[in-house]
Amino acid sequence: MLIVMKPDASASEIERVIEIVETLGFRAHEMPGQNRTAIGITGNRGSVDPAHFENLPGVADAIRVTKPYKLISRDLRPEKSVIKVGNASIGGPELAVIAGPCAVETVDQVFAAAEAVAKSGARFFRGGAFKPRTSPYAFQGKGEDGLKILADVRLQFGLNIVTEAMDERGVDLVEKYGDCIQIGARNMQNFSLLKYVGKTRKPVLLKRGLSATLDEFMLAAEYVMAEGNYDVILCERGIRTFADHARNTMDLSVVPALHRYTHLPVIVDPSHGTGHNYMVTPLARAGVAVGADGLIIEVHPCPEEAMCDGAQALTLRQYETLIEQVTQIHQTISTYEAAFATA
Ligand code: PEP
Ligand code: MN
């Protein structure tokens, strides 16, 4: 059930609806929008009788939701969400760029990358302190020591930190040191972890699972939001297909599909999406052209020495060129979109 309030509904009328939802034993999710507030109801097993709400003052409509997802839906919030991450935001008119190495290795490596990222005008820095590796013998990340280096990057360069957590302890630590909790592809359906990050107040960057369908991806975001954390950013990072010329197949068609059904920002990751240095820039350009709200890019001062994902890391110089190119594409796309909006 979705309660749509009238544009002029007062705060006390909204409060009254929430009270009734809670009296019925359900959870109310208030979503203020540009023109009106909507209230999503979760926690109900069967359908909720619209008669409870439709005659209340301030209520425009009580709509039954037939889709499996509610809170991520454009029905609840027709306009796009802009998510605040640290002192910047994702989903607004600016292209969000999150860049940095795959893994935090050393202070020098991280600071060299951070200097280039800050210089490019990007507002977000990435780097894993907890690495989900296929082999248990591969480098697993520097843990809390790595997070401390990232916190120093924020201090020195003013970049907002996006970093992965793989379990509840990791979430607590990323909350302490970082600005955005990344949930990796391998954990996209770790439902207890999704519920746990849903209880935090830090934004969540949710990466698409290696074989997740559109619905599975959207429902993973719904898990986070159902717990009360509405700040979710979706990330396409490539899926497994029969194609073996790239590490993954970057599914760019999911970007307009996600924008059609959800109000959440969508970014793309051409680094994991392709796995090859020479493919990253072309696919970054394509991602921006297809309407992504941002990019997450792996960059390393010395890719051949990287402890993780060196083959897909850009050099600092390549990264600089990528930014020049995608900035122009983003400007063009924004101009078209503005023209369509006023046409
Ligand atoms: C990463 O961002 O370094 C990472 C491990 O990503 P994914 O979960 O998409 O594989
Ligand atoms: Mn990586």
Side-chain angles (χ1 to χ4, degrees), residues 68-69 72 188-189 191 194 206-223 234 258:
Y69 44 84
I72 63 158
M188 191 208 80
Q189 283 192 315
F191 299 119
L194 296 176
L206 179 66
K207 299 190 89 176
R208 183 181 180 183
L210 276 70
S211 62
T213 63
L214 177 67
D215 267 15
E216 287 166 342
F217 191 17
M218 294 195 295
L219 284 167
E222 188 80 19
Y223 259 94
L234 302 169
L258 288 167

Side-chain angles (χ1 to χ4, degrees), residues 102 126 131-132 164 182 184-186 207 237 247 269 272 296 298 309:
C102 179
R126 64 149 293 148
K131 294 306 307 174
E164 179 164 1
Q182 177 175 324
R186 289 153 193 83
K207 299 190 89 176
R237 48 78 71 206
R247 180 177 176 186
D269 174 352
H272 296 88
I296 180 165
E298 287 190 345
D309 287 350

Side-chain angles (χ1 to χ4, degrees), residues 39-336:
I39 298 158
I41 302 177
T42 61
N44 52 305
R45 292 278 167 264
S47 58
V48 182
D49 187 352
H52 289 299
F53 304 100
E54 57 195 10
N55 297 322
L56 289 176
V59 171
D61 210 354
I63 305 165
R64 235 176 225 139
V65 181
T66 49
K67 298 182 188 108
Y69 44 84
K70 302 176 179 183
L71 307 177
I72 63 158
S73 168
R74 287 262 186 186
D75 297 337
L76 187 64
R77 194 183 152 83
E79 64 272 12
K80 281 176 67 177
S81 285
V82 180
I83 312 279
K84 202 163 180 326
V85 177
N87 64 10
S89 53
I90 301 182
E94 267 179 44
L95 182 73
V97 177
I98 307 168
C102 179
V104 172
E105 297 166 13
T106 64
V107 173
D108 287 352
Q109 169 243 13
V110 169
F111 272 65
E115 197 182 342
V117 171
K119 203 172 132 224
S120 76
R123 306 292 309 277
F124 310 93
F125 190 73
R126 64 149 293 148
F130 301 104
K131 294 306 307 174
R133 304 304 299 278
T134 302
S135 164
Y137 308 117
F139 174 58
Q140 305 283 309
K142 288 181 80 78
E144 189 168 2
D145 288 345
L147 294 177
K148 288 180 181 163
I149 299 175
L150 293 172
D152 288 344
V153 163
R154 189 207 291 106
L155 268 183
Q156 170 115 7
F157 298 100
L159 291 163
N160 300 292
I161 304 300
V162 179
T163 190
E164 179 164 1
M166 289 165 52
D167 50 27
E168 295 184 2
R169 186 185 143 265
V171 170
D172 295 344
L173 288 168
V174 171
E175 255 200 294
K176 181 170 165 198
Y177 294 103
D179 298 294
C180 179
I181 308 164
Q182 177 175 324
I183 298 296
R186 289 153 193 83
N187 273 318
M188 191 208 80
Q189 283 192 315
N190 182 340
F191 299 119
S192 61
L193 189 62
L194 296 176
K195 286 183 186 175
Y196 195 78
V197 292
K199 292 191 175 76
T200 69
R201 285 293 161 264
K202 280 271 153 88
V204 175
L205 173 64
L206 179 66
K207 299 190 89 176
R208 183 181 180 183
L210 276 70
S211 62
T213 63
L214 177 67
D215 267 15
E216 287 166 342
F217 191 17
M218 294 195 295
L219 284 167
E222 188 80 19
Y223 259 94
V224 178
M225 294 182 76
E227 298 297 329
N229 185 347
Y230 308 128
D231 294 339
V232 181
I233 301 136
L234 302 169
C235 176
E236 161 61 26
R237 48 78 71 206
I239 49 170
R240 284 269 168 87
T241 69
F242 57 83
D244 58 3
H245 58 280
R247 180 177 176 186
N248 292 295
T249 298
M250 211 167 131
D251 175 17
L252 289 176
S253 69
V254 87
V255 176
L258 288 167
H259 278 149
R260 182 182 180 98
Y261 298 115
T262 96
H263 51 85
L264 300 173
V266 181
I267 69 166
V268 297
D269 174 352
S271 305
H272 296 88
T274 65
H276 296 284
N277 174 292
Y278 77 95
M279 292 182 179
V280 173
T281 299
L283 268 293
R285 293 194 300 245
V288 174
V290 88
D293 298 292
L295 297 169
I296 180 165
I297 305 286
E298 287 190 345
V299 50
H300 196 289
C302 193
E304 57 281 13
E305 286 174 14
M307 294 172 82
C308 186
D309 287 350
Q312 68 196 33
L314 296 188
T315 63
L316 306 184
R317 179 77 197 99
Q318 288 172 329
Y319 167 73
E320 202 184 314
T321 310
L322 176 149
I323 295 297
E324 282 163 17
Q325 297 182 7
V326 296
T327 303
Q328 288 184 37
I329 294 170
H330 183 253
Q331 266 163 15
T332 306
I333 295 292
S334 305
T335 310
Y336 277 130

